[in-house]
Amino acid sequence: MLGRFLEITVHTPAIQESLEFYETLGFVQAPVGETWPHPYAVVTDGRLFLGLHGSVVPSPALTFVLPELAHGVERLKGLGVTFEQERLGSDVFNQAVFHDPAGVCVNLVEARTFSPPERDGVVTTCGYFSEFGIPLKETDAARNFWEPLGFVALDEELRPFARTTLTSDRLNLALYRTRAFRQPLLTFEDRDMRERLARLRERGFILSDEMPDSLDDSTNAVLIAPEGTRLLLLQSED
C-alpha cells in the first residue's frame, strides 16, 4: 500500500562526522543520485538503509517509494490518511508527506534516490537490525492506523518491556509502550550483545542507559549517533 521501503531519513548537520561514525560500526555507503539539492548520503547494513540529509527535514522519518504516486495518494486518502504536503506534477520530483498518530513523519516519493551497494552480507558491530521502534503511551490508535497500510500487528510482548511488533516484507515497526524512550529508535538484536557492547566500549564508543529499568545495562544499551539518532542494542533471547 505504501510502496517499497527506501530509507529511514534523518537530519544530519555534519554528514562527514556521521558517515565516519556509521562506517566505524561496519555500515557501508550506497551510491546516491542527484535528486536532492542538499548534501545527502546513505549508509546500510543490507537491511537498514539510513538516509543522511544535510537539510532540515523531519527526523527520523520513514520514506517509501510509491510509483504513480498521484494515484497512490488518492488510494491512501480513501483509507483515511491525511496528507500535510503534496508535491505532484510532471515537472517536479513527486513527493507526499503524512504523519502517524505518534507523530512519526512518513515520506512517499515516486522514485529511488540511491542505488543499493554491490556488497552483500554486511556485518556491523550493532547486530541484526530488527525494527524501527516508536515510543508511545497507548498503542491502539497507532496499531489501527498502520494495519490497513500493509503492516501486520503481532500480540503485545511484555518482556523485557511492552512491545507490539508490526511486520512487513521490508521494514518492521514496533510500538514501545514505555516512558523510558523519548524518541524513535533503530533497534538491533544479537544473542551475544554483551560481547558486542564490550567491543564498542574498547573502541571508545559511549553507551547510554536511556532505556527501561527492566533492561540489564550489561547486555543492553543505547548508542547515540552524532546527529542524535538513537540505536537500541538489545540482547536477543533466541
Side-chain angles (χ1 to χ4, degrees):
M1 185 60 68
L2 293 178
R4 186 184 182 96
F5 169 64
L6 179 68
E7 68 177 35
I8 294 174
T9 298
V10 294
H11 169 48
T12 312
I15 285 185
Q16 190 57 45
E17 183 181 1
S18 292
L19 277 175
E20 292 174 0
F21 172 85
Y22 289 107
E23 289 181 326
T24 300
L25 291 173
F27 291 84
V28 299
Q29 288 194 58
V32 301
E34 299 180 352
T35 303
W36 305 119
H38 55 260
Y40 172 58
V42 174
V43 293
T44 180
D45 62 358
R47 179 171 169 80
L48 166 67
F49 293 88
L50 192 61
L52 309 177
H53 291 252
S55 178
V56 178
V57 294
S59 177
L62 305 175
T63 300
F64 297 84
V65 176
L66 183 58
E68 299 183 355
L69 183 56
H71 296 295
V73 165
E74 293 306 313
R75 289 196 302 271
L76 290 168
K77 287 180 178 178
L79 294 174
V81 175
T82 300
F83 287 86
E84 287 89 30
Q85 176 185 335
E86 297 177 36
R87 190 167 184 261
L88 305 170
S90 59
D91 58 345
V92 295
F93 182 64
N94 287 357
Q95 306 170 61
V97 177
F98 64 89
H99 288 78
D100 85 336
V104 174
C105 179
V106 181
N107 303 310
L108 303 181
V109 296
E110 196 162 43
R112 298 186 62 92
T113 55
F114 66 89
S115 301
E118 296 181 359
R119 180 178 170 185
D120 294 325
V122 177
V123 178
T124 75
T125 314
C126 297
Y128 178 80
F129 173 68
S130 59
E131 61 202 22
F132 179 80
I134 304 172
L136 70 183
K137 296 179 181 179
E138 191 275 329
T139 61
D140 287 348
R143 178 174 178 155
N144 293 337
F145 178 85
W146 284 106
E147 283 194 298
L149 302 183
F151 289 81
V152 177
L154 306 182
D155 292 337
E156 183 180 62
E157 300 175 9
L158 297 179
R159 300 175 65 88
F161 57 88
R163 174 185 185 187
T164 300
T165 300
L166 303 168
T167 66
S168 73
D169 57 346
R170 297 284 177 177
L171 173 70
N172 291 342
L173 308 179
L175 309 177
Y176 293 168
R177 190 165 54 84
T178 171
R179 296 177 181 270
F181 300 128
R182 298 298 182 183
Q183 63 188 67
L185 308 98
L186 310 180
T187 300
F188 299 80
E189 300 186 40
D190 191 83
R191 293 181 62 183
D192 298 318
M193 190 58 78
R194 183 192 301 270
E195 179 183 343
R196 291 179 179 275
L197 297 183
R199 295 208 308 267
L200 288 170
R201 291 188 179 98
E202 289 172 358
R203 293 160 62 185
F205 286 94
I206 298 175
L207 302 177
S208 169
D209 61 357
E210 296 178 8
M211 54 189 184
D213 292 338
S214 57
L215 292 175
D216 182 349
D217 61 9
S218 68
T219 54
N220 305 273
V222 173
L223 185 59
I224 303 176
E227 76 282 353
T229 304
R230 263 60 175 174
L231 286 66
L232 176 61
L233 310 180
L234 286 181
Q235 173 79 23
S236 174
E237 297 181 359
D238 50 29

